[in-house]
Amino acid sequence: MYGEPYWDESAYYQFSLKQIEQDLEAPTEEIHQMCLDVVNRVVADDELMRRFRIPECHWNLVRDSWQNGDPSLYSRFDFAYAGQGPAKLYENNADTPTSLFETGFWQWLWLEDNVDRGALPRQADQFNSLQEKLVNRFRDLQFLTPDRALHFACCKDTEEDRGTVQYLQDCAREAGISEHFVFMEDIGVDAEGRFADLKDQVITWMFKLYPWEFMFREAYGEYLEDSNVRWLEPPWKSILSNKALLPTLWKLHPGHPNLLPAFFEDELSKAGDVGALVKKPIFSREGANISIVQSGVQSGNEQQSELLSDGPYGEEGFVYQALHPLPKFGANYTLVGSWLIDDEAAGISIREDSGLITQDSSRYLPHIIL
Amino acid sequence: MTRIKRTRAINLESMRKAAGRNFVMRPVALGIVAALMGCSSKEEVKVVASVDDCVDSTELNREQCEAAYQQALREAERTGPKYDARHQCEVEFGSCRQSGSFWLPLMTGFMVGQMLDRDRHYYYNPVYRYSNPYSSHYDRLMTADGSVVGRSGKASYTVPSSATKPKPTVTKTVSRGGFGSVASAKSSWGGGRSGGWGG
């Protein structure tokens, strides 16, 4: 899988405007509202905060960020969509979505270029207002966060993440924001517990391409509460980037056409005749640690599960989602990423993989609307 | 088509940094980026050394210049580079003063320019003269975050609009490295990762 191309110029996906608007754009905005409703319920309920594995010492941070209305920048839903019938939600990448640059910039240029050289008809369009909405959203965010410079951060030695963050820096600058960069590992604290960059500049507003569930559990987690930083994504996004979202959505909207049945580990008896289930860690990235089990199987009965992917996740527990394989086009399985800037659907990205689980080694493909 | 579902136009020049990064894929469109490099957003500013200089060289009156000077002094205290020892500061900036437990360079002057927004705000960032003779930045004016404004002594300077924005507060960091441990533990699993911590 590694070593295969990530970008594939040889192929593209073609949609009708109706497919885009009815099957992807509208459900994306609807599910997003359903997700915000989940946040509202979780912050109000200690039992749910525990279910979502939010460490108790950070409950105030998460709750305050929601109750203060801390603004969000972006999210990406992953859908299984075969071109007909309802798209099914796999998960919500609400905290640290990537492949933004490929979507907002390269995919857009790919279409311009192919139309200009006559390879695609002039009326070919693309569901991709990502870049325009990003820059506009940064303008809003600056208005909502006056007099603060925005620090961007990601981990060292992650070329893909650094590229994503650089793209966001470019968009922020385009919106007139004063921006800085620091690696997560280089962040420091001063005597008052304020975060600082390598130039000892105090961080007051930060975009971090780094999961909340990591930050909650790391040494500087203790400074989060009092640091007076405005975060992108805000701490309340830790509720949505969490796979506990999936069974919670299903409980609130059973039978919703865009949702797959999903269950917490201790409620597996409710799965009934759903059939095969995919076991997903509550916290995981890029399709790691996924396995398939038959419903009716008690948790812990690992002999009957089939491991689909390895990975470093799972210590915080698992949720179970009805198996709904990705559609296969040619030799490849296809996953549709549907982007939101704040509350607005903003475009799609398509990744395909020769295996059933889409991981970070998948190929990125452009699309057109015709 | 009446409904356009994509971004109308992209300022390719301003996205050039991300485009120049070593991305894994290489789409055919790379040539377009190089061809369309334009000019980025710049502004003309004056750097004045005193209230009198401000009155003489800008359209501000004495009262406005006095207020500008006071504001620049406050900004210098908040955002200026801070050193533990006097000699560290003097090596880089020549003249320094003590403030609490730190040493800060003396402000050489302050920048006066006009925001291009509706309200026509003025801004007054402090400016320092870098005086380390062994540096290629010798005799350059710079803002508190180290951005070079230009060689000292010019009547006006053209700066990127970022130079005109307020700078972050500068502090003394007492520890580093409290973030990143979970990522590093997880990346040592198996064969490591090709990507990052996004998803």
Side-chain angles (χ1 to χ4, degrees):
Chain A
M1 198 168 296
Y2 293 111
E4 289 181 10
Y6 177 67
W7 176 273
D8 191 332
E9 289 168 32
S10 64
Y12 60 88
Y13 283 80
Q14 182 173 327
F15 295 84
S16 68
L17 186 59
K18 195 175 157 198
Q19 285 176 316
I20 291 289
E21 292 190 334
Q22 290 186 5
D23 295 348
L24 293 169
E25 185 176 23
T28 295
E29 296 196 349
E30 185 195 347
I31 294 169
H32 180 67
Q33 291 304 318
M34 288 155 54
C35 288
L36 296 181
D37 173 54
V38 168
V39 179
N40 211 18
R41 290 164 188 266
V42 173
V43 296
D45 185 335
D46 289 358
E47 179 52 32
L48 284 172
M49 290 291 272
R50 273 183 211 107
R51 275 241 179 247
F52 277 67
R53 299 286 185 271
I54 310 290
E56 210 159 327
C57 53
H58 298 301
W59 284 7
N60 284 343
L61 182 77
V62 173
R63 286 176 163 153
D64 289 350
S65 84
W66 176 250
Q67 274 141 19
N68 295 339
D70 285 1
S72 134
L73 177 62
Y74 72 148
S75 313
R76 192 192 75 228
F77 291 141
D78 282 345
F79 284 116
Y81 177 56
Q84 53 196 352
K88 298 288 189 184
L89 179 70
Y90 265 27
E91 60 186 60
N92 183 356
N93 297 282
D95 185 16
T96 58
T98 55
S99 76
L100 183 73
F101 177 71
E102 295 88 324
T103 307
F105 189 72
W106 283 124
Q107 179 177 235
W108 186 91
L109 278 183
W110 171 89
L111 178 65
E112 294 280 304
D113 194 52
N114 278 281
V115 166
D116 286 349
R117 64 191 181 89
L120 289 172
R122 184 122 320 256
Q123 71 272 24
D125 197 5
Q126 197 173 66
F127 182 29
N128 182 13
S129 54
L130 199 55
Q131 158 122 11
E132 190 172 295
K133 288 198 165 87
L134 265 176
V135 173
N136 288 336
R137 183 60 180 157
F138 272 121
R139 289 203 181 95
D140 296 344
L141 290 169
Q142 179 164 48
F143 179 78
L144 294 168
T145 321
D147 303 325
R148 296 189 189 219
L150 178 55
H151 278 81
F152 286 83
C154 68
C155 275
K156 293 179 178 175
D157 304 320
T158 57
E159 194 62 34
E160 189 193 341
D161 285 2
R162 185 65 191 91
T164 298
V165 167
Q166 181 65 63
Y167 176 60
L168 285 164
Q169 286 175 256
D170 290 347
C171 289
R173 194 178 329 101
E174 178 86 357
I177 288 176
S178 173
E179 44 88 21
H180 304 264
F181 178 82
V182 61
F183 283 112
M184 285 304 292
E185 297 92 331
D186 286 337
I187 292 174
V189 290
D190 70 3
E192 296 164 51
R194 297 180 300 180
F195 293 119
D197 67 11
L198 274 181
K199 291 175 176 174
D200 291 329
Q201 299 182 129
V202 174
I203 296 167
T204 53
W205 184 19
M206 171 165 264
F207 173 93
K208 79 260 142 19
L209 195 67
Y210 194 69
W212 274 116
E213 69 262 19
F214 291 5
M215 292 171 70
F216 286 160
R217 289 160 177 81
E218 290 178 337
Y220 282 178
E222 64 170 301
Y223 298 110
L224 288 169
E225 191 83 52
D226 300 319
S227 65
N228 189 29
V229 175
R230 306 285 174 83
W231 296 97
L232 291 173
E233 294 298 308
W236 58 262
K237 279 292 193 91
S238 62
I239 293 172
L240 295 182
S241 61
N242 186 308
K243 303 283 189 304
L245 172 72
L246 301 169
T248 309
L249 278 174
W250 184 250
K251 262 189 215 178
L252 292 169
H253 308 274
H256 189 286
N258 298 111
L259 297 180
L260 293 166
F263 309 91
F264 284 106
E265 190 139 38
D266 58 356
E267 295 173 347
L268 262 181
S269 57
K270 296 181 187 165
D273 58 357
V274 162
L277 294 164
V278 178
K279 178 181 177 183
K280 297 181 169 187
I282 282 193
F283 299 125
S284 78
R285 306 274 143 184
E286 303 261 359
N289 301 88
I290 303 282
S291 57
I292 292 182
V293 295
Q294 289 300 318
S295 64
V297 173
Q298 290 307 304
S299 60
N301 208 350
E302 296 298 325
Q303 300 90 319
Q304 297 188 43
S305 71
E306 178 197 352
L307 191 66
L308 290 187
S309 62
D310 279 340
Y313 301 97
E315 63 203 68
E316 286 88 9
F318 295 86
V319 300
Y320 295 79
Q321 186 184 46
L323 177 66
H324 181 89
L326 289 173
K328 195 172 186 185
F329 297 98
N332 296 301
Y333 298 95
T334 304
L335 182 75
V336 176
S338 183
W339 293 85
L340 286 140
I341 299 300
D342 189 24
D343 294 345
E344 287 179 56
I348 58 168
S349 51
I350 294 167
R351 290 200 295 176
E352 55 175 38
D353 205 313
S354 41
L356 252 180
I357 309 283
T358 305
Q359 299 196 313
D360 64 347
S361 52
S362 327
R363 285 174 298 277
Y364 187 97
L365 270 93
H367 78 279
I368 64 169
I369 308 173
L370 203 60
Chain B
M1 181 169 292
T2 49
R3 285 175 289 187
I4 303 289
K5 305 294 286 183
R6 68 181 190 278
T7 303
R8 308 281 152 110
I10 286 182
N11 180 349
L12 294 171
E13 192 276 334
S14 71
M15 299 296 136
R16 72 190 185 283
K17 271 197 178 168
R21 290 215 147 250
N22 185 22
F23 266 85
V24 188
M25 76 287 178
R26 301 257 184 278
V28 284
L30 190 57
I32 299 177
V33 183
L36 291 184
M37 295 257 192
C39 54
S40 64
S41 135
K42 301 224 171 189
E43 289 175 39
E44 189 169 312
V45 299
K46 300 263 187 200
V47 173
V48 295
S50 64
V51 174
D52 286 343
D53 190 7
C54 172
V55 175
D56 291 345
S57 346
T58 75
E59 52 187 85
L60 303 187
N61 61 33
R62 180 158 293 279
E63 191 186 350
Q64 289 170 317
C65 282
E66 182 59 42
Y69 174 67
Q70 292 302 331
Q71 186 185 329
L73 281 182
R74 284 194 300 274
E75 284 296 285
E77 182 76 26
R78 187 177 72 83
T79 67
K82 295 181 176 63
Y83 297 86
D84 285 332
R86 178 176 197 158
H87 71 90
Q88 292 172 327
C89 180
E90 287 181 347
V91 162
E92 303 208 58
F93 291 99
S95 318
C96 297
R97 69 188 170 87
Q98 197 164 15
S99 169
S101 59
F102 304 122
W103 286 86
L104 280 75
L106 291 179
M107 185 170 90
T108 307
F110 55 101
M111 193 188 279
V112 178
Q114 212 166 42
M115 297 280 193
L116 296 174
D117 62 15
R118 276 191 306 274
D119 301 332
R120 294 169 66 82
H121 288 121
Y122 290 93
Y123 50 81
Y124 320 106
N125 274 336
V127 169
Y128 306 90
R129 180 178 165 271
Y130 193 72
S131 53
N132 181 344
Y134 301 107
S135 165
S136 60
H137 290 331
Y138 173 71
D139 201 30
R140 296 298 194 281
L141 296 181
M142 45 178 70
T143 50
D145 61 351
S147 305
V148 173
V149 175
R151 191 176 290 279
S152 69
K154 287 166 51 171
S156 69
Y157 298 86
T158 304
V159 296
S161 52
S162 60
T164 67
K165 301 277 167 56
K167 306 298 175 196
T169 304
V170 167
T171 186
K172 187 174 165 185
T173 302
V174 294
S175 83
R176 286 194 193 278
F179 283 130
S181 60
V182 176
S184 122
K186 290 200 192 288
S187 65
S188 63
W189 172 90
R193 289 171 58 89
S194 62
W197 297 105

